Amino acid sequence: MSNLEREAAPSLCGGRGFVVAEPVRELLSPRHVKLGESSEVRRLLPNLGRRMVGAWCFVDHYGPDDIADEPGMQVPPHPHMGLQTVSWLHEGEVLHRDSIGSLQTIRPRELGLMTSGRAISHSEESPRSHARFLHGAQLWVALPDGHRHTDPRFEHHADLPVVTAPGVKATLILGDLDGATSPGTAYTPIVGADLSLTRGADVRLPLEPDFEYAVLSMSGEAHVDGVPVLPGSMLYLGCGRSELPLRAESDAGLMLLGGEPFEEELIMFWNWIGRSQEEIVQARRDWMEGTRFGEVKGYDGAPLPAPALPPVPLKPRGRAR
């Protein structure tokens, strides 16, 4: 999914020096952002109080939206570089097209993973014949310097590892959890998992003490380490935990996001992640001139124009509050 804001602002991310090295309970409220004329998402990252969680640098939660009589998601072709996109659904379908020729319908609890590397463009749309409800999350993972110029690629994994315990089922999206490993390609120590809790569940999820974590609530009523987390909000948990207490007041859906704190400083502007102003300026020029990012074939509509660059210089910095 694209960042469709026309007044894009740089996000200054990264840097181990700003990571909370102990357990915390920091509840992040979403910012409501329009996607097109009718769709709205709840943006949890980047957030005024928290820019990254491990390598996770962008989190949008959307739905459940009743799109029975609507076109649903319609995100025109747009570019990416320096990141991975993770498409994750609880309801509905999303048709992915990209400039390397991928064409894939992504369905609930299937992983759509696009590695932009040096450059790619893609579109996302609800199929013409689609389910009534659309509900999911769109996430980005920052690529470390050694891999951010890699060849672009797209992966679709319909069969993902599942870890179960009484009252909870964890579908592993990226990385490792409790001995299971996702087939999705990861470039940093990371974890992403979809947690389905049944009403009355009271469990403890194993964690890596060196990772920092956050939990996004997708649906239902759940307490995360004793804190009620409502759908569309996210609880940042810091580092230093070996387990995470979870309790469900109703059937609930959560997403666990974590990873080794991202050491590098970077700039995130619009749909690009770079390390210098020059990289962002060049990416914008290449996109507007129709070079480098390729062409998305088959989408019925024009690509998105890039927003204007800000009047102040873009500088890579550490995590900014």
Side-chain angles (χ1 to χ4, degrees), residues 21-296:
E22 59 186 15
V24 297
R25 300 175 186 85
E26 182 182 308
L27 191 61
L28 305 181
S29 298
R31 182 163 59 94
H32 295 266
V33 178
K34 285 285 188 181
L35 285 187
E37 296 182 0
S38 59
S39 299
E40 184 177 85
V41 301
R42 292 164 288 278
R43 183 151 300 161
L44 283 309
L45 286 180
N47 192 289
L48 180 62
R50 182 65 50 191
R51 296 300 186 185
M52 298 179 75
V53 178
W56 299 99
C57 61
F58 181 95
V59 177
D60 274 356
H61 173 247
Y62 55 89
D65 295 325
D66 188 340
I67 59 169
D69 300 317
E70 304 289 340
M73 182 182 292
Q74 298 294 324
V75 181
H78 56 278
H80 286 292
M81 75 172 188
L83 58 91
Q84 293 176 292
T85 65
V86 175
S87 299
W88 191 253
L89 290 168
H90 276 196
E91 295 180 271
E93 308 89 23
V94 171
L95 179 62
H96 166 98
R97 305 175 192 265
D98 63 41
S99 56
I100 59 174
S102 309
L103 178 63
Q104 180 65 53
T105 300
I106 302 168
R107 297 181 172 84
R109 292 178 173 84
E110 298 179 354
L111 173 60
L113 177 64
M114 186 180 75
T115 301
S116 68
R118 60 179 177 271
I120 198 170
S121 57
H122 74 142
S123 64
E124 295 155 296
E125 57 188 309
S126 297
R128 290 186 179 180
S129 177
H130 53 253
R132 177 176 178 179
F133 292 101
L134 181 64
H135 182 204
Q138 185 73 17
L139 313 99
W140 296 355
V141 178
L143 288 172
D145 189 62
H147 295 284
R148 65 191 183 95
H149 299 295
T150 190
D151 292 340
R153 61 183 296 188
F154 176 76
E155 303 172 43
H156 174 245
H157 300 285
D159 187 15
L160 295 168
V162 175
V163 177
T164 60
V168 63
K169 180 173 76 171
T171 301
L172 189 55
I173 301 169
L174 272 186
D176 301 278
L177 180 68
D178 199 27
T181 301
S182 167
T185 303
Y187 295 90
T188 59
I190 195 170
V191 66
D194 183 90
L195 310 177
S196 296
L197 280 70
T198 59
R199 180 178 181 178
D202 191 350
V203 298
R204 291 179 177 269
L205 197 69
L207 300 182
E208 295 288 340
D210 291 340
F211 281 16
E212 61 176 341
Y213 290 94
V215 171
L216 168 66
S217 175
M218 298 287 288
S219 61
E221 300 178 43
H223 286 71
V224 179
D225 197 18
V227 179
V229 184
L230 300 177
S233 62
M234 187 162 74
L235 184 68
Y236 177 72
L237 296 161
C239 298
R241 297 173 182 270
S242 59
E243 60 181 16
L244 179 63
L246 301 170
R247 181 166 54 87
E249 303 299 321
S250 68
D251 290 350
L254 306 171
M255 291 188 72
L256 175 74
L257 307 174
E260 184 178 275
F262 200 78
E263 293 184 348
E264 299 174 31
E265 298 180 339
L266 50 84
I267 300 170
M268 186 165 71
F269 178 78
W270 197 41
N271 298 303
W272 301 304
I273 290 181
R275 302 299 191 276
S276 69
Q277 163 129 348
E278 291 73 22
E279 288 181 3
I280 301 298
V281 170
Q282 187 63 53
R284 186 183 187 280
R285 181 181 300 120
D286 291 344
W287 174 244
M288 296 301 287
E289 293 177 354
T291 62
R292 179 178 163 195
F293 290 95
E295 179 185 357
V296 179

